[in-house]
Amino acid sequence: MKLTGSQVVAEVLLDHGVDTVFGYPGGTALNIFDELYKYSDRIKHVLTAHEQGAAHAADGYARATGKVGVVFSTSGPGATNLVTGIATAFMDSIPMVAITANVPDSLIGRDAFQEICITGVTLPITKHNFFVNRIEDLEPALREAFKIANSGRKGPVLVDITKDVTAASIEYTNKPPMELKPLPSIEKEEIASIAKLINAAEKPVAYVGGGVVASDASKELVALLEKADIPAAYTLMAAGVIGYDNELNLGLVGMHGSVAANRAMDQADLIIALGARFSDRVALSPDKFGRRAKIVHVDIDRSEINKNVMTDKSCIGDVKEFLEAVLPLVESKQHAEWHERVVGWRAKERVVKAPDCRLHPKEIIDIVCDMTDENTLYVTDVGQHQMWAAQFIKHNKAKKFITSGGLGTMGFGYGAAIGAQMGCPNDRVIHITGDGSFHMNLNEACTAISQNLPIITVIMNNKVLGMVYQWQTIFYEKRYSNTTPERKTDFVKLAEAFGAEGYRAETPAEFEEAMKKALQADGPVWIDCTISREERVLPMIPANKSVEDMIID
């Protein structure tokens, strides 16, 4: 059948099982959006308030569903507004296809209205990108984009299409998606040698990253931990892969992690890194990290091996495949002394609460967790609230904690929550944010209202840019340069202005009452929670140093 380029775009999406996309129209994209109108019975387009929100929504959709997220934009500022969202997905290895429209090929290079070389702009933050100025190249580029985004270490791919291509015609035949690139093969000798290290270790610890989530390997991971009695610490991207109440779960590792997790990494004689990349948030001093341990690194991306921390053994491949292969070779074992020690470290950690009835971050999160079920999706922005959420949410399932890890994107949360809710309409979505992050993209409230999405936004409001304010308190002699904006925003009135419900809470009782109402609402709800600006996330805890002084009695 003969189709226009715009029809080819729609048909390729259908061939790949895409039924929901996010975006914003514009002049060069009109042909594509006209076709999306005709395909609206099969492809739902979610119009956001801003292209950045659309990119974050596609990202959140991908994280929540495991599918490739798709975002559309026009040329010029429409395309450049996607950049932060694309970079966020790139840093966290999230599969996304961004489809941008550009000026006609005859105007390329002439500084035409809203012309931008978006492929040049996004070259460092995509797995690959395509510039399509010939109709013959359109279908292959789109199919390859989905393949690349979802193969190996996943990530975003951009396809930029000139407007004349969207109007040109070509013969088209529907086809199944291209086969994904084969995973790296794991050598049996590698598996056997790593199993020997695990069997010989007396103080092993697993260091678990987002690769475990990407490979859907939570079940296999827990089987290994329990068989070999290995405690585990997780990164921000791996929250939920080990149950909250599993005794082997040491909690979040790194700069804002638990004392138990950091001490275990420092004292271990074997560190098994699974789908983690030894980022600077964890390995603050790479040359001293795990200095008492042999280090094993399993990752699908060869470039991560020995990039930040030198390892003793490595295995390049899918984490799930590795765990399935190594499990039969690992001996059932108990490390009684080590187990008792690390569990003791965990037990010593306490969260101090003031004697008054003010709201505290842990209380907010405890109430949310106690009033929702394990299928709840938690989405955060970036800052103190993000760390409190990572530390205190009662994580029990992978893919249920959605946050910007690598790029640390303030303003990520609301768009991502919209994408997650669109992808998982039967699950409750809780958006946890701070007043600083929320101010960045709260305009996406209009999107949540238009789509009638029952997202509950919990705003931890201390009227400061909390994380930077905390560092200024500790390291800059309380010189609060531009971290106390003195904003007067009334979030309850603003929620009502958008068409959402808004509640205010200053005590645990008020917050619990607001949550009860929010859980009964049909659409978006904001809860403005007043917390003290002096509440702190645990200060920096380098994994290579003693942290005894950080234990709160």
Side-chain angles (χ1 to χ4, degrees):
M1 56 183 172
K2 200 158 193 174
L3 301 180
T4 66
S6 297
Q7 290 173 316
V8 169
V9 171
E11 289 292 333
V12 171
L13 293 183
L14 291 175
D15 288 346
H16 287 80
V18 175
D19 56 14
T20 304
V21 299
F22 305 85
Y24 208 98
T28 62
L30 281 175
N31 292 331
I32 293 176
F33 274 81
D34 186 55
E35 214 55 55
L36 286 173
Y37 179 88
K38 299 171 188 174
Y39 279 76
S40 59
D41 59 330
R42 288 170 286 172
I43 301 172
K44 180 177 180 61
H45 179 276
V46 179
L47 175 67
T48 56
H50 189 279
E51 290 90 353
Q52 183 178 339
H56 292 326
D59 181 321
Y61 179 91
R63 296 186 201 229
T65 65
K67 301 176 183 178
V68 177
V70 178
V71 60
F72 283 88
S73 85
T74 191
S75 60
T80 58
N81 283 343
L82 297 178
V83 168
T84 298
I86 293 171
T88 301
F90 181 74
M91 290 291 283
D92 289 345
S93 304
I94 305 302
M96 177 195 294
V97 172
I99 299 173
T100 57
N102 213 325
V103 300
D105 188 52
S106 60
L107 295 179
I108 292 292
R110 296 174 179 267
D111 293 332
F113 177 68
Q114 292 193 334
E115 180 194 354
I116 191 75
C117 179
I118 193 61
T119 51
V121 171
T122 60
L123 183 64
I125 56 168
T126 52
K127 283 189 72 177
H128 192 73
N129 60 31
F130 298 86
F131 174 65
V132 180
N133 62 346
R134 298 190 327 136
I135 186 67
E136 295 84 1
D137 299 331
L138 179 59
E139 179 190 348
L142 289 167
R143 292 188 179 279
E144 190 76 19
F146 277 91
K147 175 183 175 180
I148 293 170
N150 220 14
S151 291
R153 182 175 180 174
K154 302 177 183 182
V157 179
L158 181 136
V159 182
D160 189 38
I161 311 167
T162 58
K163 187 173 183 179
D164 51 305
V165 168
T166 67
S169 297
I170 194 170
E171 285 295 326
Y172 180 85
T173 304
N174 292 100
K175 303 171 189 172
M178 298 172 69
E179 289 189 13
L180 300 181
K181 184 178 178 181
L183 296 171
S185 58
I186 298 176
E187 300 294 332
K188 291 182 179 179
E189 293 79 7
E190 290 178 345
I191 298 291
S193 64
I194 292 172
K196 286 181 181 179
L197 287 176
I198 296 173
N199 292 334
E202 295 297 331
K203 296 184 290 183
V205 63
Y207 160 41
V208 183
V212 176
V213 178
S215 65
D216 195 23
S218 296
K219 181 180 177 181
E220 292 78 8
L221 170 68
V222 173
L224 173 65
L225 301 182
E226 293 183 346
K227 182 178 183 180
D229 192 27
I230 302 172
Y234 60 83
T235 69
L236 196 61
M237 299 305 300
V241 297
I242 314 163
Y244 172 81
D245 54 359
N246 189 320
E247 199 172 54
L248 294 170
N249 183 357
L250 300 177
L252 184 69
V253 67
M255 180 181 288
H256 297 297
S258 73
V259 174
N262 284 285
R263 289 197 71 178
M265 297 285 272
D266 184 50
Q267 298 294 319
D269 64 3
L270 178 67
I271 294 173
I272 310 160
L274 301 169
R277 58 189 179 89
F278 297 95
S279 79
D280 62 301
R281 301 289 94 173
V282 174
L284 287 91
S285 299
D287 57 329
K288 297 179 182 178
F289 183 84
R291 54 187 170 175
R292 298 176 176 86
K294 289 186 180 298
I295 299 177
V296 171
H297 192 184
V298 181
D299 202 280
I300 202 165
D301 186 352
R302 183 182 297 273
S303 70
E304 290 296 342
I305 305 300
N306 295 325
K307 184 173 83 175
N308 294 324
V309 170
M310 298 302 293
T311 59
D312 297 279
K313 288 280 184 183
S314 62
C315 178
I316 300 161
D318 181 67
V319 171
K320 185 169 187 172
E321 184 180 336
F322 166 81
L323 290 169
E324 289 173 339
V326 82
L327 188 61
L329 305 179
V330 171
E331 299 169 358
S332 294
K333 200 169 183 180
Q334 296 294 314
H335 303 101
E337 184 180 343
W338 176 236
H339 185 103
E340 183 179 355
R341 193 188 310 177
V342 295
V343 169
W345 290 333
R346 187 182 182 191
K348 286 182 181 179
E349 296 185 61
R350 299 286 186 271
V351 176
V352 179
K353 296 179 182 179
D356 57 32
C357 61
R358 288 181 297 133
L359 263 176
H360 297 273
K362 188 175 187 302
E363 286 179 302
I364 292 171
I365 292 168
D366 283 346
I367 290 169
V368 170
C369 290
D370 291 343
M371 296 182 73
T372 54
D373 62 32
E374 65 177 12
N375 291 317
T376 300
L377 281 156
Y378 297 94
V379 185
T380 82
D381 275 292
V382 171
Q384 286 179 312
H385 68 274
Q386 177 191 32
M387 296 299 108
W388 287 320
Q391 291 168 351
F392 302 136
I393 286 174
K394 298 172 184 178
H395 306 283
N396 278 304
K397 286 188 176 182
K399 296 183 181 177
K400 297 298 182 181
F401 185 67
I402 296 173
T403 195
S404 170
L407 197 64
T409 307
M410 293 178 70
F412 167 81
Y414 214 173
I418 288 166
Q421 190 71 85
M422 293 297 301
C424 302
N426 297 321
D427 291 344
R428 171 65 64 183
V429 174
I430 306 290
H431 170 215
I432 299 175
T433 187
D435 55 295
S437 278
F438 195 45
H439 269 110
M440 287 196 170
N441 276 335
L442 57 77
N443 54 325
E444 291 304 337
C446 64
T447 309
I449 291 294
S450 297
Q451 300 297 326
N452 198 35
L453 302 176
I455 298 166
I456 299 174
T457 296
V458 177
I459 308 164
M460 294 194 186
N461 189 356
N462 55 10
K463 300 190 186 306
V464 294
L465 306 184
M467 187 65 86
V468 185
Y469 180 91
Q470 174 175 320
W471 295 135
Q472 289 173 337
T473 300
I474 298 169
F475 298 120
Y476 292 88
E477 299 178 350
K478 299 185 179 181
R479 292 188 294 274
Y480 298 121
S481 177
N482 291 284
T483 51
T484 55
E486 306 301 335
R487 291 170 179 150
K488 307 298 182 183
T489 307
D490 187 324
F491 288 114
V492 174
K493 289 182 179 179
L494 187 56
E496 293 170 354
F498 272 112
E501 293 182 28
Y503 301 100
R504 214 179 312 276
E506 296 184 359
T507 68
E510 289 176 355
F511 179 66
E512 190 168 348
E513 183 61 27
M515 273 297 295
K516 286 179 183 177
K517 294 176 181 177
L519 289 167
Q520 298 302 314
D522 294 327
V525 178
W526 299 3
I527 307 177
D528 182 5
C529 302
T530 300
I531 65 170
S532 169
R533 63 180 57 181
E534 303 312 319
E535 292 288 345
R536 295 185 188 176
V537 176
L538 284 175
M540 185 164 58
I541 308 173
N544 61 302
K545 295 184 179 179
S546 172
V547 290
E548 291 179 353
D549 58 329
M550 304 308 302
I551 298 176
I552 303 172
D553 295 323

